[in-house]
Amino acid sequence: MKFGHKKLYINGELVNASNGATFDVICPADETATATIAWASTEDTEKALQAAKEGFEHWSKLPLDERLSWIDKLRNKLIENEELLRTSIMYEMGKVWEGSEEDFTSITNSLQYYSEEIQKRGDIAIPDKEGTHTHKMVSQPLGVAVAFLAYNFPLLNLGFKLGPALAAGCSIILKPSEFSPLSAYIIGELCAEINFPKGVINVICGDVPNVGIPLCESKIPRLITMIGSTETAQKLIMQSSKTSIKRYSMECGGNAPFIVFDDADLEAAINLGAALKIGNTGQICVAPNRFYIHETVIDKFTNGIVEKFKNAKIGFGRENQPDMGPLANHQSVIKIHNIVKEAVNQGGEVKYGGEPIEGKGYYFQPTAIQLTDRNAEILQEEIFGPVAMIVPFSTKEEVIELANNTDAGLASYVYSTNEETLAYFAEKLEFGEVQLNGVKYDIYLPHGGVKNSGIGVDCSTYAMDDYLIKKRITKAL
């Protein structure tokens, strides 16, 4: 399917790049161009920054009911175009059709949730101990936000930033990944169709020198927010802190442990572990990387994972109904293949898969590798693909040390039927999320990491705080 040429969305208008530059969006299923996008110049970036600055002045002063009316209008427009948006995601990153539903509902749910959440906010009174003054804390819109978005969930990632920003009264510049910018550009088109207030939402994509660095180094943004790798977050902080003090909200890479004890519901653990590696082709920040399995059940667990991988239908297209699609880009195929080869060099045994799939498209076999070296260096690497590293352990004291031996701290998983074991790991695991005997995510549940996995949270009422300033007002009696 071809989507044609898509323009930048700046100051309420759809425009080509000032220098005429374009960029091909490649479908990872067949390596052909599915669309071209306007590729922003430095001049375009400056226009977006100025537009967002002026947009904030208007948007932040709108009465709340008017702001919410516009958000609802945008949400309804997205719902009208669900088929288009989900199809664009499928083609821009090879996502299976069923998987595109989570992307789409995430943005519509975010717009609705934060519209409701902002109405619950109010002034907070602080008692005066001496009775000489009154005090209250008020919340006000922060300013311009810049959002750098990862390629793995194009609309989910966008929605997690757009919802709280708009509800809080902030304007926003959305910078999607060059690997999956199509759906974001279509969002710009839909904003233009409903004449969304100018400058409040801007959508641009381009290279680092012309877009990334100018966005960061400008004094206009008050918040830099992103979903992506730890390395990218470090660069953004360095670049943006040169010129002004800014806020940061960043969900970075993970290296999730998946711990299974001998008393666990093994079938449930196998089902979830396999699903998280097959789903979105393992390109999920919270997907387990390191499967720590009790030595008495490791062979049974490995056989179960291998069976799930063997039965996974790999392919592309709505009619084919595959379980797993391609990786998002060629670079990912090379990276995943190198990780597999390095794991083998470090003593790992490939139980299934381990190779790119021949033919057109960026496909890679779902792969299970069993490692005997519990401290293998490769276990420090975030995989971001359909590879399960399976490692034995003996005791809970041993595995808690292994699990926490990482600079990352996003998600973690534990399977056991022993309540004391679950309580022990809930306390001891150094991760922002501890999932016990299952998994759940939703817009009302906080999502964030510790250590090098990020600053702040996405989702929940807590995410709204990143887009608001707290002001104390004190009056003498």
Side-chain angles (χ1 to χ4, degrees):
M1 183 172 179
K2 304 299 181 183
F3 292 84
H5 176 68
K6 302 299 178 184
K7 298 180 179 181
L8 308 168
Y9 179 62
I10 300 173
N11 201 29
E13 297 181 356
L14 297 169
V15 296
N16 283 314
S18 60
N19 59 5
T22 61
F23 184 84
D24 287 341
V25 180
I26 303 300
C27 174
D30 60 11
E31 304 177 46
T32 63
T34 192
T36 61
I37 60 168
W39 193 242
S41 66
T42 304
E43 181 182 340
D44 299 317
T45 303
E46 293 300 330
K47 287 179 180 177
L49 285 162
Q50 288 299 322
K53 181 180 179 180
E54 295 171 10
F56 172 73
E57 291 302 316
H58 168 72
W59 186 248
S60 62
K61 293 178 175 61
L62 271 186
L64 181 59
D65 60 341
E66 289 187 37
R67 214 156 68 214
L68 298 183
S69 177
W70 275 112
I71 294 172
D72 190 54
K73 190 174 183 180
L74 174 59
R75 182 175 180 273
N76 289 335
K77 187 68 174 179
L78 300 185
I79 291 171
E80 289 173 14
N81 289 272
E82 176 181 354
E83 183 96 359
L84 171 63
L85 287 165
R86 290 181 62 183
T87 303
S88 71
I89 294 170
M90 187 173 70
Y91 276 86
E92 70 184 335
M93 70 157 296
K95 195 182 290 276
V96 301
W97 177 254
E98 289 75 12
S100 70
E101 182 179 12
E102 180 183 7
D103 256 284
F104 177 76
T105 57
S106 291
I107 187 172
T108 55
N109 288 348
S110 179
L111 292 172
Q112 180 177 11
Y113 173 79
Y114 286 106
S115 290
E116 295 169 353
E117 192 61 31
I118 193 65
Q119 296 179 73
K120 300 175 185 176
R121 298 291 179 111
D123 298 346
I124 300 173
I126 302 175
D128 186 83
K129 291 185 177 181
E130 291 73 31
T132 58
H133 295 73
T134 62
H135 313 279
K136 65 179 178 179
M137 296 297 296
V138 301
S139 296
Q140 295 179 336
L142 175 65
V144 175
V146 172
F148 293 88
L149 307 173
Y151 63 79
N152 59 332
F153 287 95
L155 287 187
L156 177 149
N157 293 338
L158 189 154
F160 284 179
K161 308 303 184 182
L162 187 62
L166 293 181
C170 296
S171 59
I172 190 167
I173 299 172
L174 298 166
K175 193 280 174 190
S177 167
E178 67 271 23
F179 295 120
S180 59
L182 178 58
S183 53
Y185 274 58
I186 292 174
I187 294 288
E189 291 181 338
L190 299 178
C191 287
E193 287 181 20
I194 63 173
N195 295 312
F196 201 85
K198 291 184 176 182
V200 179
I201 301 172
N202 303 273
V203 182
I204 62 173
C205 193
D207 58 28
V208 171
N210 290 312
V211 175
I213 292 176
L215 285 176
C216 284
E217 292 188 348
S218 171
K219 293 183 179 181
I220 290 174
R222 299 289 301 278
L223 170 68
I224 303 292
T225 184
M226 66 148 277
I227 297 174
S229 70
T230 299
E231 292 75 18
T232 298
Q234 291 171 321
K235 290 176 183 177
L236 294 179
I237 291 172
M238 288 177 62
Q239 292 162 356
S240 60
S241 62
K242 291 178 180 179
T243 55
S244 62
I245 300 297
K246 301 177 175 75
R247 281 194 192 177
Y248 300 101
S249 174
M250 298 185 167
E251 189 254 72
C252 306
N255 190 9
F258 192 97
I259 302 166
V260 181
F261 280 86
D262 53 351
D263 63 349
D265 181 338
L266 210 57
E267 182 179 0
I270 290 168
N271 287 340
L272 179 63
L276 288 171
K277 299 310 294 186
I278 292 170
N280 215 42
T281 322
Q283 299 165 120
I284 310 173
C285 56
V286 297
N289 275 0
R290 302 167 294 148
F291 288 80
Y292 293 113
I293 314 300
H294 194 272
E295 59 191 7
T296 61
V297 294
I298 189 170
D299 289 338
K300 190 173 181 181
F301 180 89
T302 302
N303 291 338
I305 287 285
V306 166
E307 193 63 25
K308 292 289 183 183
F309 285 179
K310 283 181 179 178
N311 292 328
K313 183 178 179 182
I314 301 170
F316 177 76
R318 191 170 175 178
E319 298 77 17
N320 295 329
Q321 296 184 316
D323 301 307
M324 188 179 98
L327 291 161
N329 51 70
H330 183 57
Q331 295 94 310
S332 292
V333 176
I334 296 171
K335 176 192 172 186
I336 300 302
H337 200 197
N338 286 339
I339 286 174
V340 170
K341 288 186 284 188
E342 187 56 36
V344 172
N345 290 338
Q346 294 179 26
E349 180 183 355
V350 176
K351 296 293 187 178
Y352 183 77
E355 298 288 339
I357 297 174
E358 293 184 2
K360 279 287 185 182
Y362 307 134
Y363 292 95
F364 200 95
Q365 296 172 320
T367 299
I369 300 175
Q370 204 170 89
L371 282 157
T372 54
D373 182 356
R374 302 171 194 201
N375 295 296
E377 189 177 337
I378 197 65
L379 295 172
Q380 297 298 320
E381 186 90 22
E382 183 183 21
I383 299 170
F384 220 64
V387 178
M389 301 285 188
I390 305 172
V391 185
F393 75 89
S394 302
T395 67
K396 68 179 184 180
E397 292 79 13
E398 174 196 20
V399 76
I400 194 69
E401 184 176 346
L402 292 170
N404 287 336
N405 182 28
T406 173
D407 290 332
L410 191 55
S412 58
Y413 305 83
V414 183
Y415 271 84
S416 173
T417 54
N418 186 305
E419 289 299 325
E420 289 184 4
T421 298
L422 296 177
Y424 175 85
F425 280 85
E427 178 186 357
K428 298 291 186 182
L429 281 168
E430 298 170 357
F431 294 83
E433 297 166 7
V434 180
Q435 306 272 2
L436 305 175
N437 290 333
V439 66
K440 183 166 186 178
Y441 288 97
D442 210 320
I443 190 64
Y444 63 87
L445 297 172
H447 173 57
V450 298
K451 298 192 281 190
N452 280 355
S453 285
I455 306 168
V457 299
D458 283 323
C459 305
S460 82
T461 185
Y462 299 108
M464 180 82 76
D465 294 334
D466 290 331
Y467 300 84
L468 295 167
I469 61 171
K470 298 287 191 292
K471 180 185 289 186
R472 176 168 65 91
I473 299 175
T474 292
K475 181 182 178 183
L477 296 175

